[in-house]
Amino acid sequence: MRKIYLPLKDEVIEDLKVGEWVRLYGECYSARDAAHKRIVESLMRGEKLPFQLEGSVIYYMGPSPTPPGRIIGACGPTTSMRMDPYVPILLEKGVKGFIGKGKRGEEVRTAIRKYKGIYFATVGGAGAYFSERIKRFQLVGYEDLGPEAIYLLELYDFPVMVAIDSSGRDYYLEK
Amino acid sequence: MRMVNANEIYEKVKELIEYVNFNVRDDVLLEWKRKRNEEENINAKIVLDILIENSQIAKEKKIPICQDCGMVLIFIEKGEDVCIEGPIMDYLNKAVREVYLNNYLRPSVVKDPIIRENTFDNTPPIVHWDYIPGDNLKISVMIKGFGSENASMVKMLLPTTSEEEIINIVVEHVKNYGPNACPPLIIGVGLGGTMEKAVYLSKKAIMRPLFKRNDKEHLRRLEEEILRRVNDLNIGPGGFGGKLTALDVFVESFPTHIAGLPLAVTLQCSAVRWGEIVI
């Protein structure tokens, strides 16, 4: 598996092809249902966000609480499809890619092709495994949302598959 | 009449809820390992290796198998000759609260489906009671993540629906929703009763040990045919392709009305967190 570093450069994104497994290294932000709703509501009101969307990768994940002596608790991906309606606006605002699990809808493929983004899918139900692949974990915003808050994460040797590439090709439709 | 103190039930249920959050079911783990060696699809091998390593890390380092520590389901089969002394529902709530707070398990339950404020202790559990002959209490605990719960369904079919049509509906459902439900799945199918009874049966079905077929010939046929066809879909572990979409399919049935045929399908994700005790 190739090593890929975050934040993602455009030429790296365009070089990644559907179906390829890669190992991710570097920073991304967690956000799931409630955080997405709040991000988009803030954008509509013209408010400042607790992190910079431009150039970022968003990981659909809500961790379990951190046990003493560890960096993070279990932290595998949640179902991506629930976040589909938010993808076009986030890509328009500069987000480069998403990490989650499972299939996406047509609106996601279209927006990824338009903005040259990428969707990585990985393995659900492996929260303990991914917990060993996080170097840094830090609260960024929306603390009141508990496990749904936004966190900065530094990924290390984190396996994912290119499920939708920048040309809009979708692994789930082709396999 | 045998008397059992609610406090004794609470202690044992607490242990069980804690155990199942960190330990994959034995028969499931064994089957992953067996299928890993048979599988030719490279993606399926990658995913099964990750799931097997995940189960070891969870057990050894006491990190939850999945960050979605689910909603707790408790099924109690109460012998008619047993009397429970004490406020059992309070104790079951207390068991969930203590296990989730003391073991760094994610609180995933909100107080209200509209207002959506987290209870922060994963209470309340969903509790189902059945009455059976005898003086034993059989208690099963299931930790249900919502990736797979959201991918489950109930449908009211016409009473004239054929076996073949039932199989088609279940297979089509798995084809559409299976990849999102974290396969390898265990598929529970409930047939008959009323709408909620069918759902209940589909939940009970996924607690059956792997490869134990239904005693009734026509239901055994459904189980075998659905399993064969689902595993031909090339969904595979994690949804990335391969033969192992489902470890098994279990069908449970109940008498129903002349006008209906309720069908429920519960998809159980790879993180099969389940266990039972007899008191």
Side-chain angles (χ1 to χ4, degrees):
Chain A
M1 289 185 204
R2 263 204 285 176
K3 292 181 177 180
I4 298 293
Y5 296 89
L6 309 180
L8 290 167
K9 294 197 173 70
D10 290 340
E11 58 268 30
V12 172
I13 294 178
E14 289 187 33
D15 189 42
L16 286 166
K17 295 290 173 256
V18 73
E20 182 185 5
W21 283 87
V22 296
R23 294 190 175 274
L24 298 180
Y25 292 77
E27 290 180 359
C28 68
Y29 294 98
S30 72
R32 40 175 295 153
D33 309 67
H36 272 79
K37 194 174 175 191
R38 205 177 283 186
I39 288 169
V40 171
E41 282 168 0
S42 285
L43 288 173
M44 295 301 161
R45 288 196 295 262
E47 294 165 2
K48 198 173 170 328
L49 296 177
F51 70 108
Q52 195 189 332
L53 281 178
E54 198 160 310
S56 66
V57 168
I58 292 180
Y59 179 22
Y60 303 135
M61 189 277 294
S64 61
T66 309
R70 293 197 59 92
I71 291 169
I72 191 171
C75 56
T78 195
T79 308
S80 303
M81 199 176 255
R82 297 196 312 270
M83 268 56 78
D84 280 7
Y86 302 106
V87 166
I89 175 127
L90 293 180
L91 285 167
E92 188 195 325
K93 298 287 179 188
V95 173
K96 292 290 180 188
F98 307 90
I99 306 168
K101 72 167 168 87
K103 301 195 284 187
R104 312 297 306 254
E106 188 55 43
E107 61 199 306
V108 173
R109 281 185 287 279
T110 305
I112 281 182
R113 187 167 59 239
K114 182 175 176 190
Y115 296 103
K116 298 280 173 224
I118 193 161
Y119 167 52
F120 298 109
T122 191
V123 184
Y129 172 92
F130 290 113
S131 167
E132 303 269 275
R133 281 157 181 78
I134 304 292
K135 285 272 202 189
R136 193 153 64 97
F137 172 62
Q138 194 180 312
L139 179 73
V140 166
Y142 306 162
E143 188 175 6
D144 59 302
L145 296 182
E148 293 205 84
I150 294 176
Y151 299 96
L152 173 72
L153 296 131
E154 188 184 340
L155 310 184
Y156 177 83
D157 194 26
F158 194 98
V160 295
M161 180 205 260
V162 179
I164 303 177
D165 68 18
S166 58
S167 69
R169 285 179 62 189
D170 185 332
Y171 177 77
Y172 292 101
L173 296 183
E174 294 186 11
K175 80 172 162 70
Chain B
M1 193 59 106
R2 181 178 161 219
M3 307 297 276
V4 177
N5 196 290
N7 189 53
E8 184 192 343
I9 299 170
Y10 149 80
E11 292 289 351
K12 290 189 171 153
V13 167
K14 208 167 84 161
E15 252 173 53
L16 184 60
I17 298 173
E18 183 175 330
Y19 181 84
V20 296
N21 263 292
F22 301 99
N23 292 275
V24 173
R25 227 168 83 172
D26 291 343
D27 56 347
V28 168
L29 185 57
L30 200 69
E31 192 55 13
W32 289 348
K33 289 179 177 169
R34 206 165 68 85
K35 283 290 181 351
R36 159 67 178 81
N37 295 327
E38 290 172 11
E39 186 59 74
E40 286 154 19
N41 184 306
I42 179 71
N43 293 337
K45 282 184 204 278
I46 292 172
V47 173
L48 288 172
D49 282 344
I50 289 175
L51 291 179
I52 292 163
E53 191 178 337
N54 183 66
S55 68
Q56 287 160 352
I57 296 167
K59 186 183 185 136
E60 284 162 20
K61 302 196 173 174
K62 221 179 169 198
I63 305 167
I65 293 165
C66 180
Q67 71 289 338
D68 182 353
C69 302
M71 201 157 184
V72 180
L73 278 83
I74 304 174
F75 298 84
I76 305 181
E77 290 182 10
K78 185 192 152 312
E80 282 162 333
D81 302 327
V82 184
C83 182
I84 297 172
E85 288 181 287
I88 183 63
M89 295 303 278
D90 288 349
Y91 272 117
L92 293 176
N93 261 301
K94 193 172 156 207
V96 172
R97 181 179 305 120
E98 289 182 6
V99 172
Y100 275 70
L101 289 175
N102 294 341
N103 291 281
Y104 304 92
L105 297 171
R106 193 181 81 182
S108 305
V109 175
V110 292
K111 281 178 199 166
D112 179 285
I114 305 297
I115 298 167
R116 307 202 72 83
E117 186 191 341
N118 203 303
T119 66
F120 288 108
D121 60 10
N122 225 46
T123 61
I126 310 274
V127 185
H128 294 290
W129 292 86
D130 266 335
Y131 289 82
I132 54 167
D135 63 357
N136 280 335
L137 277 168
K138 187 163 110 182
I139 303 180
S140 312
V141 162
M142 187 190 290
I143 307 297
K144 197 68 176 74
F146 261 50
S148 62
E149 189 71 358
N150 281 337
S152 300
M153 69 111 157
V154 59
K155 198 173 168 69
M156 306 305 278
L157 306 178
L158 294 175
T160 48
T161 308
S162 69
E163 271 185 40
E164 182 58 24
E165 286 167 318
I166 292 170
I167 293 167
N168 287 341
I169 292 166
V170 177
V171 173
E172 188 61 23
H173 181 79
V174 177
K175 188 177 165 188
N176 292 332
Y177 296 92
N180 287 358
C182 294
L185 308 168
I186 296 177
I187 301 170
V189 177
L191 283 171
T194 48
M195 185 173 76
E196 84 283 5
K197 183 72 178 181
V199 173
Y200 179 71
L201 292 171
S202 73
K203 282 273 186 318
K204 291 280 270 194
I206 56 182
M207 297 191 270
R208 214 195 289 166
L210 291 180
F211 317 122
K212 190 175 182 301
R213 296 268 69 84
N214 197 302
D215 295 337
K216 291 177 187 143
E217 181 54 34
H218 63 294
L219 298 181
R220 169 194 296 254
R221 217 165 41 229
L222 284 180
E223 290 173 350
E224 286 170 353
E225 186 59 12
I226 294 168
L227 180 63
R228 190 183 66 75
R229 288 192 35 198
V230 158
N231 281 336
D232 280 344
L233 291 172
N234 193 32
I235 293 173
F240 295 111
K243 293 193 205 90
L244 190 63
T245 301
L247 294 171
D248 213 339
V249 177
F250 300 117
V251 179
E252 296 289 340
S253 70
F254 196 81
T256 191
H257 190 281
I258 48 172
L261 204 178
L263 162 73
V265 179
T266 290
L267 300 185
Q268 170 61 55
C269 65
S270 64
V272 188
R273 290 158 292 177
W274 174 86
E276 68 180 17
I277 46 167
V278 176
I279 296 173

